[in-house]
Amino acid sequence: MPLVHLTDLISKPDNTYAIGAFNVSDMEMAMGAIQAAEELEAPLILQIAEGRLRYSPLDLLGPVMIAAAKKCKMPTAVHLDHGSTMETIKLALDLGFTSVMFDGSKYPLDENIARTKEVVKLAKSYGADVEGEIGRVGGAEGDYKSVDVLVTSVEEAKRFAEESGIDAMAVAIGTAHGNYKEKPQLRIDRLKEIHAAVKTPLVLHGGTGLTEADFRNCLANGIQKINIATASYDASAAKIKEVAAANPQAKYFDFSDAIVQGTRENVKKHMHIFGLEHKA
């Protein structure tokens, strides 16, 4: 099936489901995510964060992701998560990614808007979509330094959405990347206010560790894309340990299969929660 765009999947009036965007770091994880999408007849976003590229170079993994997405029988987009440099963003676009994220949340608002507009201009020349971020999601994605949560303000979200030209906007409502050390306190009140003020589809980062009720509350109040990374890595690692404990003579391909299975199970679990079954 041909690749689809981010906007093909998330530009919808229906708030009964949100599209899952699942980070992968190797061929096995991509295979597991695709198997889950096909089993549930669900749309899929495959993505890789720039902070993970030390482990999975984009020039090697990117073509694998593109090939896997094209092979998938369900509508699949390929996305660069948390892009921070124009060099990486351009490489993703050259490889055929259908969308890129520029994370300018560390910059003052004016600079974030200006830099994001440059990315939008570049991406549109490729026919690709762009996700931006306003406010700051806590924790750390990949090798980036951990940061504290800075909840998105309604005024800045409205200006950022209107001036940057982005197709999707990641907002900070109390979530954090990685595993939570304490129960997150989600600002659903702020999410409702932002959703009422902007037309741009909203994105939730830091999904690992949220409850099913948390997810459903977010998608009911404007979230249209939910990122899942750490949960898939943890599920794959747990499956590898399970195989090793059960069979000390396990071979390389036993562990390869474990990564596929761990990812597939985690993606399916979250797709069920996000209401994606039979939504392709």
Side-chain angles (χ1 to χ4, degrees):
M1 175 175 285
L3 296 176
V4 300
H5 286 78
L6 181 66
T7 48
D8 294 330
L9 299 180
I10 65 173
S11 297
K12 57 181 179 59
D14 190 345
N15 66 348
T16 63
Y17 69 95
I19 305 298
F22 298 93
N23 289 58
V24 299
S25 288
D26 52 36
M27 178 182 71
E28 287 81 4
M29 293 188 76
M31 290 168 61
I34 283 171
Q35 288 178 13
E38 291 182 343
E39 286 180 40
L40 297 185
E41 297 182 343
L44 171 68
I45 300 172
L46 287 179
Q47 60 184 31
I48 177 70
E50 183 164 348
R52 299 286 183 189
L53 297 183
R54 180 164 68 90
Y55 309 96
S56 308
L58 189 60
D59 58 340
L60 300 179
L61 182 63
V64 171
M65 295 170 65
I66 296 290
K70 288 180 177 178
K71 186 178 179 181
C72 185
K73 297 174 183 176
M74 300 298 118
T76 305
V78 181
H79 179 72
L80 176 68
D81 186 29
H82 285 284
S84 63
T85 65
M86 290 297 282
E87 179 184 12
T88 300
I89 289 169
K90 186 176 187 305
L91 175 57
L93 294 168
D94 285 339
L95 290 171
F97 279 44
T98 52
S99 59
V100 293
M101 177 192 182
F102 172 66
D103 182 357
S105 60
K106 66 182 179 181
Y107 299 111
L109 178 61
D110 286 345
E111 187 172 358
N112 188 1
I113 291 173
R115 287 175 179 263
T116 302
K117 287 173 72 173
E118 291 180 16
V119 173
V120 170
K121 181 178 179 181
L122 175 65
K124 293 310 173 185
S125 72
Y126 287 80
D129 297 327
V130 177
E131 175 184 332
E133 181 172 328
I134 187 71
R136 195 161 58 222
V137 178
E141 178 61 63
D143 291 335
Y144 295 141
K145 184 179 179 181
S146 183
V147 297
D148 293 329
V149 174
L150 178 63
V151 175
T152 304
S153 80
V154 178
E155 295 76 14
E156 290 194 349
K158 190 171 187 297
R159 186 181 161 204
F160 185 64
E162 291 173 350
E163 296 185 21
S164 66
I166 52 173
D167 302 290
M169 182 168 66
V171 293
I173 58 167
T175 57
H177 297 110
N179 291 304
Y180 290 100
K181 296 179 175 61
E182 56 188 35
K183 181 177 172 59
Q185 302 297 319
L186 300 187
R187 291 288 307 276
I188 300 298
D189 59 327
R190 180 59 54 83
L191 175 61
K192 290 179 179 178
E193 292 171 349
I194 294 170
H195 181 45
V198 304
K199 297 179 180 179
T200 306
L202 304 179
V203 180
L204 183 73
H205 288 236
T208 294
L210 297 185
T211 66
E212 183 170 341
D214 287 334
F215 283 126
R216 295 194 184 282
N217 209 357
C218 287
L219 67 88
N221 287 288
I223 292 295
Q224 295 189 32
K225 172 179 179 273
I226 301 176
N227 287 14
I228 298 293
T230 303
S232 290
Y233 295 129
D234 289 349
S236 296
K239 193 64 69 172
I240 289 171
K241 293 173 183 176
E242 182 182 312
V243 170
N247 179 15
Q249 305 304 317
K251 306 298 184 184
Y252 169 86
F253 291 105
D254 296 318
F255 298 122
S256 179
D257 288 341
I259 296 172
V260 175
Q261 185 179 351
T263 304
R264 181 178 69 246
E265 291 174 358
N266 182 67
V267 172
K268 282 180 65 177
K269 180 182 85 170
H270 284 89
M271 283 182 162
H272 277 300
I273 295 171
F274 301 164
L276 286 173
E277 194 165 4
H278 307 306
K279 290 296 192 298

PDB file of all heavy atoms in Angstrom, residues 18-37:
ATOM      1  N   ALA A  18      -7.774   7.903  18.632  1.00  0.00           N
ATOM      2  CA  ALA A  18      -6.571   8.666  18.300  1.00  0.00           C
ATOM      3  C   ALA A  18      -5.596   7.716  17.616  1.00  0.00           C
ATOM      4  O   ALA A  18      -5.565   6.519  17.907  1.00  0.00           O
ATOM      5  CB  ALA A  18      -5.937   9.257  19.559  1.00  0.00           C
ATOM      6  N   ILE A  19      -4.785   8.245  16.696  1.00  0.00           N
ATOM      7  CA  ILE A  19      -3.825   7.425  15.970  1.00  0.00           C
ATOM      8  C   ILE A  19      -2.594   7.173  16.837  1.00  0.00           C
ATOM      9  O   ILE A  19      -2.044   8.112  17.429  1.00  0.00           O
ATOM     10  CB  ILE A  19      -3.391   8.105  14.652  1.00  0.00           C
ATOM     11  CG1 ILE A  19      -4.620   8.451  13.807  1.00  0.00           C
ATOM     12  CG2 ILE A  19      -2.432   7.197  13.881  1.00  0.00           C
ATOM     13  CD1 ILE A  19      -5.444   7.263  13.366  1.00  0.00           C
ATOM     14  N   GLY A  20      -2.163   5.933  16.919  1.00  0.00           N
ATOM     15  CA  GLY A  20      -0.955   5.597  17.658  1.00  0.00           C
ATOM     16  C   GLY A  20       0.274   5.789  16.786  1.00  0.00           C
ATOM     17  O   GLY A  20       0.306   5.331  15.648  1.00  0.00           O
ATOM     18  N   ALA A  21       1.271   6.494  17.319  1.00  0.00           N
ATOM     19  CA  ALA A  21       2.551   6.680  16.639  1.00  0.00           C
ATOM     20  C   ALA A  21       3.594   5.926  17.454  1.00  0.00           C
ATOM     21  O   ALA A  21       3.889   6.300  18.597  1.00  0.00           O
ATOM     22  CB  ALA A  21       2.900   8.148  16.543  1.00  0.00           C
ATOM     23  N   PHE A  22       4.139   4.860  16.867  1.00  0.00           N
ATOM     24  CA  PHE A  22       4.981   3.936  17.616  1.00  0.00           C
ATOM     25  C   PHE A  22       6.435   4.028  17.167  1.00  0.00           C
ATOM     26  O   PHE A  22       6.751   3.818  15.999  1.00  0.00           O
ATOM     27  CB  PHE A  22       4.446   2.511  17.459  1.00  0.00           C
ATOM     28  CG  PHE A  22       3.061   2.350  18.019  1.00  0.00           C
ATOM     29  CD1 PHE A  22       1.945   2.497  17.212  1.00  0.00           C
ATOM     30  CD2 PHE A  22       2.872   2.097  19.365  1.00  0.00           C
ATOM     31  CE1 PHE A  22       0.663   2.374  17.724  1.00  0.00           C
ATOM     32  CE2 PHE A  22       1.594   1.974  19.903  1.00  0.00           C
ATOM     33  CZ  PHE A  22       0.486   2.109  19.072  1.00  0.00           C
ATOM     34  N   ASN A  23       7.310   4.344  18.122  1.00  0.00           N
ATOM     35  CA  ASN A  23       8.736   4.439  17.827  1.00  0.00           C
ATOM     36  C   ASN A  23       9.335   3.053  17.648  1.00  0.00           C
ATOM     37  O   ASN A  23       9.027   2.126  18.415  1.00  0.00           O
ATOM     38  CB  ASN A  23       9.458   5.172  18.952  1.00  0.00           C
ATOM     39  CG  ASN A  23       9.143   6.647  18.975  1.00  0.00           C
ATOM     40  OD1 ASN A  23       7.988   7.042  19.088  1.00  0.00           O
ATOM     41  ND2 ASN A  23      10.165   7.473  18.880  1.00  0.00           N
ATOM     42  N   VAL A  24      10.181   2.917  16.651  1.00  0.00           N
ATOM     43  CA  VAL A  24      10.882   1.659  16.390  1.00  0.00           C
ATOM     44  C   VAL A  24      12.368   1.962  16.246  1.00  0.00           C
ATOM     45  O   VAL A  24      12.761   3.068  15.870  1.00  0.00           O
ATOM     46  CB  VAL A  24      10.351   0.955  15.128  1.00  0.00           C
ATOM     47  CG1 VAL A  24       8.878   0.604  15.278  1.00  0.00           C
ATOM     48  CG2 VAL A  24      10.569   1.815  13.880  1.00  0.00           C
ATOM     49  N   SER A  25      13.190   0.972  16.554  1.00  0.00           N
ATOM     50  CA  SER A  25      14.637   1.164  16.467  1.00  0.00           C
ATOM     51  C   SER A  25      15.342   0.095  15.653  1.00  0.00           C
ATOM     52  O   SER A  25      16.565   0.106  15.557  1.00  0.00           O
ATOM     53  CB  SER A  25      15.250   1.220  17.877  1.00  0.00           C
ATOM     54  OG  SER A  25      14.914   2.436  18.505  1.00  0.00           O
ATOM     55  N   ASP A  26      14.564  -0.836  15.104  1.00  0.00           N
ATOM     56  CA  ASP A  26      15.172  -1.870  14.272  1.00  0.00           C
ATOM     57  C   ASP A  26      14.090  -2.519  13.408  1.00  0.00           C
ATOM     58  O   ASP A  26      12.905  -2.198  13.526  1.00  0.00           O
ATOM     59  CB  ASP A  26      15.900  -2.932  15.120  1.00  0.00           C
ATOM     60  CG  ASP A  26      15.026  -3.523  16.216  1.00  0.00           C
ATOM     61  OD1 ASP A  26      13.807  -3.701  15.991  1.00  0.00           O
ATOM     62  OD2 ASP A  26      15.552  -3.819  17.309  1.00  0.00           O
ATOM     63  N   MET A  27      14.511  -3.429  12.557  1.00  0.00           N
ATOM     64  CA  MET A  27      13.592  -4.106  11.650  1.00  0.00           C
ATOM     65  C   MET A  27      12.543  -4.901  12.418  1.00  0.00           C
ATOM     66  O   MET A  27      11.355  -4.915  12.058  1.00  0.00           O
ATOM     67  CB  MET A  27      14.374  -5.043  10.725  1.00  0.00           C
ATOM     68  CG  MET A  27      13.520  -5.839   9.755  1.00  0.00           C
ATOM     69  SD  MET A  27      14.518  -6.974   8.748  1.00  0.00           S
ATOM     70  CE  MET A  27      14.977  -8.203   9.998  1.00  0.00           C
ATOM     71  N   GLU A  28      12.970  -5.565  13.507  1.00  0.00           N
ATOM     72  CA  GLU A  28      12.042  -6.410  14.257  1.00  0.00           C
ATOM     73  C   GLU A  28      10.902  -5.594  14.867  1.00  0.00           C
ATOM     74  O   GLU A  28       9.743  -6.020  14.858  1.00  0.00           O
ATOM     75  CB  GLU A  28      12.801  -7.166  15.359  1.00  0.00           C
ATOM     76  CG  GLU A  28      13.685  -8.298  14.848  1.00  0.00           C
ATOM     77  CD  GLU A  28      15.029  -7.822  14.312  1.00  0.00           C
ATOM     78  OE1 GLU A  28      15.321  -6.605  14.408  1.00  0.00           O
ATOM     79  OE2 GLU A  28      15.793  -8.661  13.808  1.00  0.00           O
ATOM     80  N   MET A  29      11.242  -4.430  15.408  1.00  0.00           N
ATOM     81  CA  MET A  29      10.192  -3.585  15.992  1.00  0.00           C
ATOM     82  C   MET A  29       9.226  -3.103  14.909  1.00  0.00           C
ATOM     83  O   MET A  29       8.011  -3.062  15.131  1.00  0.00           O
ATOM     84  CB  MET A  29      10.797  -2.399  16.733  1.00  0.00           C
ATOM     85  CG  MET A  29      11.576  -2.773  17.976  1.00  0.00           C
ATOM     86  SD  MET A  29      12.076  -1.331  18.957  1.00  0.00           S
ATOM     87  CE  MET A  29      10.524  -0.892  19.750  1.00  0.00           C
ATOM     88  N   ALA A  30       9.741  -2.753  13.745  1.00  0.00           N
ATOM     89  CA  ALA A  30       8.879  -2.343  12.642  1.00  0.00           C
ATOM     90  C   ALA A  30       7.955  -3.484  12.229  1.00  0.00           C
ATOM     91  O   ALA A  30       6.753  -3.279  11.990  1.00  0.00           O
ATOM     92  CB  ALA A  30       9.721  -1.880  11.455  1.00  0.00           C
ATOM     93  N   MET A  31       8.498  -4.683  12.161  1.00  0.00           N
ATOM     94  CA  MET A  31       7.690  -5.845  11.805  1.00  0.00           C
ATOM     95  C   MET A  31       6.593  -6.085  12.830  1.00  0.00           C
ATOM     96  O   MET A  31       5.432  -6.372  12.477  1.00  0.00           O
ATOM     97  CB  MET A  31       8.590  -7.080  11.696  1.00  0.00           C
ATOM     98  CG  MET A  31       9.526  -7.073  10.506  1.00  0.00           C
ATOM     99  SD  MET A  31      10.800  -8.372  10.602  1.00  0.00           S
ATOM    100  CE  MET A  31       9.783  -9.859  10.613  1.00  0.00           C
ATOM    101  N   GLY A  32       6.932  -5.972  14.111  1.00  0.00           N
ATOM    102  CA  GLY A  32       5.940  -6.191  15.156  1.00  0.00           C
ATOM    103  C   GLY A  32       4.809  -5.184  15.099  1.00  0.00           C
ATOM    104  O   GLY A  32       3.630  -5.533  15.254  1.00  0.00           O
ATOM    105  N   ALA A  33       5.148  -3.914  14.854  1.00  0.00           N
ATOM    106  CA  ALA A  33       4.124  -2.870  14.773  1.00  0.00           C
ATOM    107  C   ALA A  33       3.198  -3.108  13.587  1.00  0.00           C
ATOM    108  O   ALA A  33       1.977  -2.951  13.685  1.00  0.00           O
ATOM    109  CB  ALA A  33       4.789  -1.498  14.673  1.00  0.00           C
ATOM    110  N   ILE A  34       3.760  -3.520  12.461  1.00  0.00           N
ATOM    111  CA  ILE A  34       2.957  -3.764  11.270  1.00  0.00           C
ATOM    112  C   ILE A  34       2.054  -4.976  11.465  1.00  0.00           C
ATOM    113  O   ILE A  34       0.879  -4.961  11.065  1.00  0.00           O
ATOM    114  CB  ILE A  34       3.871  -3.920  10.046  1.00  0.00           C
ATOM    115  CG1 ILE A  34       4.342  -2.538   9.612  1.00  0.00           C
ATOM    116  CG2 ILE A  34       3.162  -4.623   8.895  1.00  0.00           C
ATOM    117  CD1 ILE A  34       5.393  -2.546   8.562  1.00  0.00           C
ATOM    118  N   GLN A  35       2.565  -6.011  12.081  1.00  0.00           N
ATOM    119  CA  GLN A  35       1.729  -7.176  12.357  1.00  0.00           C
ATOM    120  C   GLN A  35       0.535  -6.785  13.219  1.00  0.00           C
ATOM    121  O   GLN A  35      -0.592  -7.240  12.993  1.00  0.00           O
ATOM    122  CB  GLN A  35       2.553  -8.261  13.042  1.00  0.00           C
ATOM    123  CG  GLN A  35       3.542  -8.963  12.128  1.00  0.00           C
ATOM    124  CD  GLN A  35       4.372 -10.002  12.854  1.00  0.00           C
ATOM    125  OE1 GLN A  35       4.069 -10.392  13.983  1.00  0.00           O
ATOM    126  NE2 GLN A  35       5.440 -10.460  12.210  1.00  0.00           N
ATOM    127  N   ALA A  36       0.766  -5.929  14.209  1.00  0.00           N
ATOM    128  CA  ALA A  36      -0.329  -5.481  15.081  1.00  0.00           C
ATOM    129  C   ALA A  36      -1.366  -4.706  14.282  1.00  0.00           C
ATOM    130  O   ALA A  36      -2.575  -4.931  14.431  1.00  0.00           O
ATOM    131  CB  ALA A  36       0.236  -4.614  16.208  1.00  0.00           C
ATOM    132  N   ALA A  37      -0.903  -3.788  13.428  1.00  0.00           N
ATOM    133  CA  ALA A  37      -1.832  -2.986  12.620  1.00  0.00           C
ATOM    134  C   ALA A  37      -2.673  -3.869  11.710  1.00  0.00           C
ATOM    135  O   ALA A  37      -3.887  -3.666  11.573  1.00  0.00           O
ATOM    136  CB  ALA A  37      -1.051  -1.964  11.802  1.00  0.00           C
TER     137      ALA A  37
END
